[in-house]
PDB file of all heavy atoms in Angstrom:
ATOM      1  N   ALA A   7      -2.828  10.071  -5.099  1.00 95.00           N
ATOM      2  CA  ALA A   7      -3.542  10.404  -3.872  1.00 95.00           C
ATOM      3  C   ALA A   7      -2.630  11.289  -3.035  1.00 95.00           C
ATOM      4  O   ALA A   7      -1.411  11.324  -3.238  1.00 95.00           O
ATOM      5  CB  ALA A   7      -3.940   9.154  -3.104  1.00 95.00           C
ATOM      6  N   GLU A   8      -3.246  11.985  -2.105  1.00 96.00           N
ATOM      7  CA  GLU A   8      -2.541  12.922  -1.255  1.00 96.00           C
ATOM      8  C   GLU A   8      -2.873  12.602   0.193  1.00 96.00           C
ATOM      9  O   GLU A   8      -3.995  12.196   0.501  1.00 96.00           O
ATOM     10  CB  GLU A   8      -3.029  14.324  -1.611  1.00 96.00           C
ATOM     11  CG  GLU A   8      -2.259  15.448  -1.043  1.00 96.00           C
ATOM     12  CD  GLU A   8      -2.774  16.779  -1.590  1.00 96.00           C
ATOM     13  OE1 GLU A   8      -3.575  16.813  -2.534  1.00 96.00           O
ATOM     14  OE2 GLU A   8      -2.340  17.791  -1.022  1.00 96.00           O
ATOM     15  N   GLY A   9      -1.900  12.774   1.087  1.00 96.00           N
ATOM     16  CA  GLY A   9      -2.135  12.465   2.486  1.00 96.00           C
ATOM     17  C   GLY A   9      -1.438  13.418   3.416  1.00 96.00           C
ATOM     18  O   GLY A   9      -0.454  14.063   3.055  1.00 96.00           O
ATOM     19  N   ASP A  10      -1.971  13.465   4.643  1.00 95.00           N
ATOM     20  CA  ASP A  10      -1.514  14.446   5.611  1.00 95.00           C
ATOM     21  C   ASP A  10      -1.508  13.827   7.008  1.00 95.00           C
ATOM     22  O   ASP A  10      -2.425  13.096   7.370  1.00 95.00           O
ATOM     23  CB  ASP A  10      -2.494  15.628   5.565  1.00 95.00           C
ATOM     24  CG  ASP A  10      -2.079  16.791   6.417  1.00 95.00           C
ATOM     25  OD1 ASP A  10      -0.886  17.115   6.432  1.00 95.00           O
ATOM     26  OD2 ASP A  10      -2.959  17.381   7.063  1.00 95.00           O
ATOM     27  N   ASN A  11      -0.459  14.123   7.767  1.00 92.00           N
ATOM     28  CA  ASN A  11      -0.390  13.773   9.181  1.00 92.00           C
ATOM     29  C   ASN A  11      -0.352  15.104   9.932  1.00 92.00           C
ATOM     30  O   ASN A  11       0.713  15.681  10.120  1.00 92.00           O
ATOM     31  CB  ASN A  11       0.857  12.937   9.475  1.00 92.00           C
ATOM     32  CG  ASN A  11       0.960  12.532  10.933  1.00 92.00           C
ATOM     33  OD1 ASN A  11       0.222  12.996  11.780  1.00 92.00           O
ATOM     34  ND2 ASN A  11       1.916  11.668  11.223  1.00 92.00           N
ATOM     35  N   PRO A  12      -1.500  15.619  10.343  1.00 89.00           N
ATOM     36  CA  PRO A  12      -1.554  16.965  10.919  1.00 89.00           C
ATOM     37  C   PRO A  12      -0.762  17.134  12.214  1.00 89.00           C
ATOM     38  O   PRO A  12      -0.320  18.235  12.510  1.00 89.00           O
ATOM     39  CB  PRO A  12      -3.037  17.213  11.157  1.00 89.00           C
ATOM     40  CG  PRO A  12      -3.752  15.968  10.871  1.00 89.00           C
ATOM     41  CD  PRO A  12      -2.810  15.003  10.244  1.00 89.00           C
ATOM     42  N   LEU A  13      -0.547  16.068  12.969  1.00 84.00           N
ATOM     43  CA  LEU A  13       0.172  16.203  14.239  1.00 84.00           C
ATOM     44  C   LEU A  13       1.638  16.576  14.058  1.00 84.00           C
ATOM     45  O   LEU A  13       2.186  17.331  14.842  1.00 84.00           O
ATOM     46  CB  LEU A  13       0.068  14.919  15.055  1.00 84.00           C
ATOM     47  CG  LEU A  13      -1.259  14.707  15.759  1.00 84.00           C
ATOM     48  CD1 LEU A  13      -1.249  13.393  16.522  1.00 84.00           C
ATOM     49  CD2 LEU A  13      -1.564  15.855  16.699  1.00 84.00           C
ATOM     50  N   CYS A  14       2.276  16.036  13.006  1.00 86.00           N
ATOM     51  CA  CYS A  14       3.699  16.363  12.838  1.00 86.00           C
ATOM     52  C   CYS A  14       3.985  17.079  11.518  1.00 86.00           C
ATOM     53  O   CYS A  14       5.127  17.402  11.240  1.00 86.00           O
ATOM     54  CB  CYS A  14       4.575  15.129  13.000  1.00 86.00           C
ATOM     55  SG  CYS A  14       4.384  13.906  11.738  1.00 86.00           S
ATOM     56  N   GLY A  15       2.958  17.308  10.703  1.00 92.00           N
ATOM     57  CA  GLY A  15       3.146  18.092   9.487  1.00 92.00           C
ATOM     58  C   GLY A  15       3.573  17.312   8.262  1.00 92.00           C
ATOM     59  O   GLY A  15       3.876  17.922   7.231  1.00 92.00           O
ATOM     60  N   ASP A  16       3.610  15.992   8.330  1.00 95.00           N
ATOM     61  CA  ASP A  16       3.951  15.197   7.145  1.00 95.00           C
ATOM     62  C   ASP A  16       2.850  15.369   6.100  1.00 95.00           C
ATOM     63  O   ASP A  16       1.665  15.339   6.432  1.00 95.00           O
ATOM     64  CB  ASP A  16       4.050  13.711   7.492  1.00 95.00           C
ATOM     65  CG  ASP A  16       5.111  13.401   8.539  1.00 95.00           C
ATOM     66  OD1 ASP A  16       6.009  14.226   8.738  1.00 95.00           O
ATOM     67  OD2 ASP A  16       5.020  12.329   9.146  1.00 95.00           O
ATOM     68  N   HIS A  17       3.258  15.545   4.861  1.00 97.00           N
ATOM     69  CA  HIS A  17       2.287  15.707   3.771  1.00 97.00           C
ATOM     70  C   HIS A  17       2.916  15.161   2.491  1.00 97.00           C
ATOM     71  O   HIS A  17       3.992  15.616   2.098  1.00 97.00           O
ATOM     72  CB  HIS A  17       1.920  17.180   3.586  1.00 97.00           C
ATOM     73  CG  HIS A  17       0.834  17.369   2.587  1.00 97.00           C
ATOM     74  ND1 HIS A  17      -0.487  17.467   2.942  1.00 97.00           N
ATOM     75  CD2 HIS A  17       0.853  17.460   1.233  1.00 97.00           C
ATOM     76  CE1 HIS A  17      -1.225  17.609   1.857  1.00 97.00           C
ATOM     77  NE2 HIS A  17      -0.431  17.607   0.809  1.00 97.00           N
ATOM     78  N   TYR A  18       2.259  14.191   1.862  1.00 97.00           N
ATOM     79  CA  TYR A  18       2.803  13.570   0.655  1.00 97.00           C
ATOM     80  C   TYR A  18       1.742  13.373  -0.419  1.00 97.00           C
ATOM     81  O   TYR A  18       0.569  13.148  -0.112  1.00 97.00           O
ATOM     82  CB  TYR A  18       3.434  12.199   0.960  1.00 97.00           C
ATOM     83  CG  TYR A  18       4.662  12.303   1.812  1.00 97.00           C
ATOM     84  CD1 TYR A  18       4.641  11.937   3.139  1.00 97.00           C
ATOM     85  CD2 TYR A  18       5.848  12.804   1.281  1.00 97.00           C
ATOM     86  CE1 TYR A  18       5.771  12.061   3.929  1.00 97.00           C
ATOM     87  CE2 TYR A  18       6.973  12.932   2.068  1.00 97.00           C
ATOM     88  CZ  TYR A  18       6.934  12.561   3.390  1.00 97.00           C
ATOM     89  OH  TYR A  18       8.056  12.695   4.171  1.00 97.00           O
ATOM     90  N   THR A  19       2.201  13.448  -1.655  1.00 96.00           N
ATOM     91  CA  THR A  19       1.403  13.066  -2.811  1.00 96.00           C
ATOM     92  C   THR A  19       2.129  11.904  -3.462  1.00 96.00           C
ATOM     93  O   THR A  19       3.346  11.977  -3.683  1.00 96.00           O
ATOM     94  CB  THR A  19       1.267  14.215  -3.823  1.00 96.00           C
ATOM     95  OG1 THR A  19       0.629  15.317  -3.169  1.00 96.00           O
ATOM     96  CG2 THR A  19       0.459  13.799  -5.038  1.00 96.00           C
ATOM     97  N   ILE A  20       1.402  10.848  -3.744  1.00 96.00           N
ATOM     98  CA  ILE A  20       1.980   9.675  -4.398  1.00 96.00           C
ATOM     99  C   ILE A  20       1.322   9.527  -5.758  1.00 96.00           C
ATOM    100  O   ILE A  20       0.098   9.632  -5.878  1.00 96.00           O
ATOM    101  CB  ILE A  20       1.787   8.407  -3.544  1.00 96.00           C
ATOM    102  CG1 ILE A  20       2.637   8.539  -2.283  1.00 96.00           C
ATOM    103  CG2 ILE A  20       2.141   7.144  -4.330  1.00 96.00           C
ATOM    104  CD1 ILE A  20       2.529   7.398  -1.321  1.00 96.00           C
ATOM    105  N   ARG A  21       2.161   9.309  -6.776  1.00 95.00           N
ATOM    106  CA  ARG A  21       1.674   9.098  -8.138  1.00 95.00           C
ATOM    107  C   ARG A  21       2.154   7.734  -8.621  1.00 95.00           C
ATOM    108  O   ARG A  21       3.296   7.350  -8.381  1.00 95.00           O
ATOM    109  CB  ARG A  21       2.175  10.196  -9.055  1.00 95.00           C
ATOM    110  CG  ARG A  21       1.554  11.537  -8.748  1.00 95.00           C
ATOM    111  CD  ARG A  21       2.004  12.612  -9.738  1.00 95.00           C
ATOM    112  NE  ARG A  21       1.308  13.856  -9.493  1.00 95.00           N
ATOM    113  CZ  ARG A  21       1.661  14.736  -8.560  1.00 95.00           C
ATOM    114  NH1 ARG A  21       2.699  14.507  -7.793  1.00 95.00           N
ATOM    115  NH2 ARG A  21       0.966  15.853  -8.401  1.00 95.00           N
ATOM    116  N   LEU A  22       1.259   7.043  -9.319  1.00 96.00           N
ATOM    117  CA  LEU A  22       1.560   5.713  -9.814  1.00 96.00           C
ATOM    118  C   LEU A  22       1.187   5.600 -11.283  1.00 96.00           C
ATOM    119  O   LEU A  22       0.261   6.264 -11.748  1.00 96.00           O
ATOM    120  CB  LEU A  22       0.739   4.661  -9.059  1.00 96.00           C
ATOM    121  CG  LEU A  22       0.807   4.639  -7.548  1.00 96.00           C
ATOM    122  CD1 LEU A  22      -0.247   3.692  -6.990  1.00 96.00           C
ATOM    123  CD2 LEU A  22       2.190   4.240  -7.087  1.00 96.00           C
ATOM    124  N   LYS A  23       1.886   4.734 -11.952  1.00 96.00           N
ATOM    125  CA  LYS A  23       1.450   4.268 -13.263  1.00 96.00           C
ATOM    126  C   LYS A  23       1.103   2.804 -13.061  1.00 96.00           C
ATOM    127  O   LYS A  23       1.968   1.992 -12.725  1.00 96.00           O
ATOM    128  CB  LYS A  23       2.530   4.406 -14.320  1.00 96.00           C
ATOM    129  CG  LYS A  23       2.058   3.845 -15.668  1.00 96.00           C
ATOM    130  CD  LYS A  23       3.128   3.858 -16.714  1.00 96.00           C
ATOM    131  CE  LYS A  23       2.559   3.245 -17.995  1.00 96.00           C
ATOM    132  NZ  LYS A  23       3.604   3.053 -18.989  1.00 96.00           N
ATOM    133  N   VAL A  24      -0.174   2.496 -13.243  1.00 96.00           N
ATOM    134  CA  VAL A  24      -0.649   1.119 -13.108  1.00 96.00           C
ATOM    135  C   VAL A  24      -1.163   0.692 -14.472  1.00 96.00           C
ATOM    136  O   VAL A  24      -1.991   1.367 -15.074  1.00 96.00           O
ATOM    137  CB  VAL A  24      -1.766   1.001 -12.042  1.00 96.00           C
ATOM    138  CG1 VAL A  24      -2.265  -0.431 -11.944  1.00 96.00           C
ATOM    139  CG2 VAL A  24      -1.269   1.493 -10.695  1.00 96.00           C
ATOM    140  N   ASP A  25      -0.615  -0.406 -14.977  1.00 96.00           N
ATOM    141  CA  ASP A  25      -1.026  -0.917 -16.275  1.00 96.00           C
ATOM    142  C   ASP A  25      -1.364  -2.399 -16.134  1.00 96.00           C
ATOM    143  O   ASP A  25      -0.532  -3.177 -15.663  1.00 96.00           O
ATOM    144  CB  ASP A  25       0.086  -0.714 -17.297  1.00 96.00           C
ATOM    145  CG  ASP A  25      -0.352  -1.023 -18.722  1.00 96.00           C
ATOM    146  OD1 ASP A  25      -1.568  -0.969 -19.007  1.00 96.00           O
ATOM    147  OD2 ASP A  25       0.526  -1.321 -19.545  1.00 96.00           O
ATOM    148  N   GLN A  26      -2.572  -2.752 -16.498  1.00 96.00           N
ATOM    149  CA  GLN A  26      -3.060  -4.128 -16.426  1.00 96.00           C
ATOM    150  C   GLN A  26      -2.827  -4.739 -15.044  1.00 96.00           C
ATOM    151  O   GLN A  26      -2.400  -5.882 -14.909  1.00 96.00           O
ATOM    152  CB  GLN A  26      -2.438  -4.980 -17.529  1.00 96.00           C
ATOM    153  CG  GLN A  26      -2.830  -4.505 -18.905  1.00 96.00           C
ATOM    154  CD  GLN A  26      -2.275  -5.389 -20.011  1.00 96.00           C
ATOM    155  OE1 GLN A  26      -1.726  -6.459 -19.769  1.00 96.00           O
ATOM    156  NE2 GLN A  26      -2.441  -4.933 -21.241  1.00 96.00           N
ATOM    157  N   GLY A  27      -3.086  -3.901 -14.006  1.00 96.00           N
ATOM    158  CA  GLY A  27      -2.996  -4.382 -12.638  1.00 96.00           C
ATOM    159  C   GLY A  27      -1.600  -4.462 -12.061  1.00 96.00           C
ATOM    160  O   GLY A  27      -1.412  -4.961 -10.956  1.00 96.00           O
ATOM    161  N   VAL A  28      -0.580  -3.941 -12.780  1.00 97.00           N
ATOM    162  CA  VAL A  28       0.805  -3.976 -12.302  1.00 97.00           C
ATOM    163  C   VAL A  28       1.307  -2.541 -12.106  1.00 97.00           C
ATOM    164  O   VAL A  28       1.113  -1.679 -12.964  1.00 97.00           O
ATOM    165  CB  VAL A  28       1.723  -4.719 -13.302  1.00 97.00           C
ATOM    166  CG1 VAL A  28       3.175  -4.687 -12.846  1.00 97.00           C
ATOM    167  CG2 VAL A  28       1.248  -6.157 -13.472  1.00 97.00           C
ATOM    168  N   VAL A  29       1.962  -2.294 -10.978  1.00 97.00           N
ATOM    169  CA  VAL A  29       2.537  -0.979 -10.689  1.00 97.00           C
ATOM    170  C   VAL A  29       3.828  -0.854 -11.491  1.00 97.00           C
ATOM    171  O   VAL A  29       4.838  -1.486 -11.171  1.00 97.00           O
ATOM    172  CB  VAL A  29       2.805  -0.796  -9.180  1.00 97.00           C
ATOM    173  CG1 VAL A  29       3.436   0.562  -8.916  1.00 97.00           C
ATOM    174  CG2 VAL A  29       1.524  -0.970  -8.384  1.00 97.00           C
ATOM    175  N   GLU A  30       3.789  -0.036 -12.548  1.00 96.00           N
ATOM    176  CA  GLU A  30       4.938   0.090 -13.454  1.00 96.00           C
ATOM    177  C   GLU A  30       5.740   1.366 -13.246  1.00 96.00           C
ATOM    178  O   GLU A  30       6.845   1.486 -13.769  1.00 96.00           O
ATOM    179  CB  GLU A  30       4.457   0.004 -14.896  1.00 96.00           C
ATOM    180  CG  GLU A  30       3.915  -1.365 -15.242  1.00 96.00           C
ATOM    181  CD  GLU A  30       3.590  -1.509 -16.716  1.00 96.00           C
ATOM    182  OE1 GLU A  30       3.618  -0.500 -17.456  1.00 96.00           O
ATOM    183  OE2 GLU A  30       3.313  -2.644 -17.128  1.00 96.00           O
ATOM    184  N   GLY A  31       5.189   2.318 -12.515  1.00 96.00           N
ATOM    185  CA  GLY A  31       5.906   3.557 -12.246  1.00 96.00           C
ATOM    186  C   GLY A  31       5.446   4.136 -10.926  1.00 96.00           C
ATOM    187  O   GLY A  31       4.277   4.004 -10.554  1.00 96.00           O
ATOM    188  N   VAL A  32       6.373   4.761 -10.192  1.00 97.00           N
ATOM    189  CA  VAL A  32       6.065   5.312  -8.874  1.00 97.00           C
ATOM    190  C   VAL A  32       6.792   6.633  -8.672  1.00 97.00           C
ATOM    191  O   VAL A  32       7.848   6.869  -9.255  1.00 97.00           O
ATOM    192  CB  VAL A  32       6.457   4.337  -7.738  1.00 97.00           C
ATOM    193  CG1 VAL A  32       5.664   3.054  -7.809  1.00 97.00           C
ATOM    194  CG2 VAL A  32       7.952   4.021  -7.758  1.00 97.00           C
ATOM    195  N   GLY A  33       6.232   7.479  -7.842  1.00 97.00           N
ATOM    196  CA  GLY A  33       6.884   8.723  -7.471  1.00 97.00           C
ATOM    197  C   GLY A  33       6.140   9.373  -6.318  1.00 97.00           C
ATOM    198  O   GLY A  33       4.953   9.136  -6.121  1.00 97.00           O
ATOM    199  N   PHE A  34       6.879  10.185  -5.534  1.00 97.00           N
ATOM    200  CA  PHE A  34       6.213  10.912  -4.458  1.00 97.00           C
ATOM    201  C   PHE A  34       6.838  12.280  -4.278  1.00 97.00           C
ATOM    202  O   PHE A  34       7.986  12.523  -4.641  1.00 97.00           O
ATOM    203  CB  PHE A  34       6.200  10.112  -3.154  1.00 97.00           C
ATOM    204  CG  PHE A  34       7.487  10.075  -2.351  1.00 97.00           C
ATOM    205  CD1 PHE A  34       7.590  10.773  -1.160  1.00 97.00           C
ATOM    206  CD2 PHE A  34       8.572   9.301  -2.755  1.00 97.00           C
ATOM    207  CE1 PHE A  34       8.750  10.707  -0.390  1.00 97.00           C
ATOM    208  CE2 PHE A  34       9.721   9.224  -1.997  1.00 97.00           C
ATOM    209  CZ  PHE A  34       9.817   9.942  -0.807  1.00 97.00           C
TER     210      PHE A  34
END
């Protein structure tokens, strides 16, 4: 997913690996 805070310019994309309901990998 991707997100934005237009007031201060924050912008992030978060990527996950979810397997059988468990977060096994993360990155942004």
Side-chain angles (χ1 to χ4, degrees):
E8 191 174 349
D10 186 41
N11 181 350
L13 283 179
C14 67
D16 300 340
H17 186 95
Y18 293 106
T19 300
I20 292 178
R21 291 184 175 82
L22 306 170
K23 177 185 178 188
V24 179
D25 189 23
Q26 297 183 9
V28 177
V29 178
E30 293 187 351
V32 297
F34 77 108

